[in-house]
Amino acid sequence: MPEANYAMPVVPKSTSRKPSVPRHIVCLTFDFDTQSGFIARGMTTPTPLSRGEFGLTGARRILALLKANGIKATWFTPGFTIESHPQACEAVVADGHEVAHHSWAHIPPAQQNRVDEEADLVRANEAIARLTGRKARGYRSPSWDLSESTVDLLLAHGFLYDSSLMGADYWPYRARRGDHVELGKPYGYGEQSELIEMPISWSLDDYPHFEFVRTPTAVLPGLQSARTVMENWLDEFRYMRQTVDWGVLTYTMHPYVIGRGYRMLALEGLLKDLAAAGAVFMTMEDAAREAQALMFARDADSTP
Ligand SMILES: [Zn+2]
């Protein structure tokens, strides 16, 4: 029975909606956390805060690189960053990039009750509206952990897409709500919502590859070769191109992580290689709208 409600994204039934030529989209996304993630974890001594502060330097470098390559990207920006570093955020807007929602205080929704989650969501959206002139269309949860309320709240607040789940790689899909999970029982899929999911993966996130993190209970070694990571990321694009006619590949980066010199050089190389391989760069909002038109328009005329 669970299978009956489950519909992973499929290629459109109507061949007329397939792209006439293959089209492989890349979304460069930057989670502009600055100090917010450290503060949310209680790491408020000067050194971790300065680590987040480096994101301002990284952001300047990234903006210059994107401008040099004529690429528009998506910046998931906490309200904290907008209100703490307004000039840095205005520079993102001035260059024509999308500013999307990444909470206000960088607290994962899974750690909040619904009232607190919604209050944080509204506060951050107001900061984005003041910065950009309109509310966010896209959302990414801090630490990629949604609560049971998140999908409903995003729909109630007019969001087009979320980018926090890992159920696919190259095809956006509709986020579900109400999956039933119980130990010892088969999985129960919930209903699909209108929210478009732009899937992500830790393997395509700079943070676990590069950041050295030591806490009282764990060590995240990080510090991998940047060029090796970029080779993996390019291979991910090559595989998408090899296996689907149309798809979206999302890379997730943090200015204070990717902004280090040797990583910036490696990123510069990746962008050149992606362009040579035929990547179409666009903001996540634009990619979600294209997905909506290409993949989900069929819902209206699909009959059982
Ligand atoms: Zn973040």
Side-chain angles (χ1 to χ4, degrees), residues 146-164:
L146 302 182
S147 78
E148 289 183 353
S149 305
T150 306
V151 172
D152 283 337
L153 289 173
L154 293 178
L155 289 167
H157 288 274
F159 282 79
L160 171 70
Y161 73 87
D162 169 64
S163 182
S164 311

Side-chain angles (χ1 to χ4, degrees), residues 28-304:
L28 301 180
T29 65
F30 298 92
D31 295 1
F32 197 8
D33 294 341
T34 60
Q35 299 97 335
S36 63
F38 296 100
I39 296 171
R41 293 188 190 97
M43 299 168 72
T44 55
T45 51
T47 300
L49 293 177
S50 71
R51 192 169 173 176
E53 183 181 325
F54 182 73
L56 301 172
T57 299
R60 284 193 294 274
R61 293 174 176 173
I62 292 162
L63 287 175
L65 178 63
L66 295 176
K67 185 174 279 186
N69 286 274
I71 294 172
K72 301 298 185 208
T74 298
W75 293 64
F76 290 93
T77 308
F80 167 89
T81 298
I82 294 171
E83 294 187 19
S84 304
H85 311 292
Q87 289 180 341
C89 297
E90 285 160 11
V92 171
V93 176
D95 280 2
H97 300 292
E98 176 190 5
V99 174
H101 199 296
H102 194 44
S103 84
W104 197 97
H106 211 277
I107 301 168
Q111 297 175 13
Q112 294 175 303
N113 63 43
R114 186 181 172 114
V115 171
D116 290 344
E117 181 180 355
E118 186 165 27
D120 183 277
L121 189 114
V122 168
R123 184 184 182 195
N125 225 353
E126 286 171 351
I128 288 173
R130 284 194 298 275
L131 174 68
T132 68
R134 62 173 206 158
K135 289 182 178 174
R137 305 296 292 149
Y139 173 81
R140 172 173 288 161
S141 62
S143 307
W144 282 335
D145 203 0
L146 302 182
S147 78
E148 289 183 353
S149 305
T150 306
V151 172
D152 283 337
L153 289 173
L154 293 178
L155 289 167
H157 288 274
F159 282 79
L160 171 70
Y161 73 87
D162 169 64
S163 182
S164 311
L165 299 176
M166 310 182 191
D169 44 15
Y170 312 132
W171 282 346
Y173 60 103
R174 289 189 182 281
R176 291 188 311 272
R177 52 187 161 194
D179 282 14
H180 183 74
V181 184
E182 195 173 338
L183 184 63
K185 291 193 174 178
Y187 198 85
Y189 289 103
E191 62 170 2
Q192 291 186 346
S193 76
E194 290 295 305
L195 193 68
I196 297 173
E197 181 59 41
M198 305 296 284
I200 46 76
S201 166
W202 284 112
S203 63
L204 300 171
D205 182 321
D206 60 355
Y207 193 88
H209 297 302
F210 295 136
E211 280 303 282
F212 173 78
V213 182
R214 185 181 56 213
T215 71
T217 54
V219 172
L220 186 68
L223 305 180
Q224 290 189 36
S225 157
R227 291 184 192 275
T228 301
V229 173
M230 296 301 145
E231 278 179 19
N232 292 343
W233 287 12
L234 180 62
D235 279 349
E236 190 76 32
F237 179 82
R238 289 194 180 116
Y239 191 77
M240 174 172 76
R241 197 181 55 181
Q242 186 176 309
T243 53
V244 299
D245 286 339
W246 182 93
V248 182
L249 182 60
T250 296
Y251 299 110
T252 298
M253 291 166 274
H254 300 73
Y256 75 83
V257 178
I258 201 73
R260 296 286 166 186
Y262 73 97
R263 298 173 190 159
M264 288 302 297
L265 276 181
L267 175 61
E268 192 177 330
L270 174 69
L271 298 187
K272 283 191 171 63
D273 290 342
L274 286 168
V280 177
F281 295 96
M282 62 172 65
T283 66
M284 189 162 267
E285 179 180 355
D286 287 347
R289 292 196 187 285
E290 186 164 320
Q292 191 175 39
L294 186 72
M295 304 183 73
F296 305 133
R298 69 188 172 81
D299 289 2
D301 61 13
S302 68
T303 49

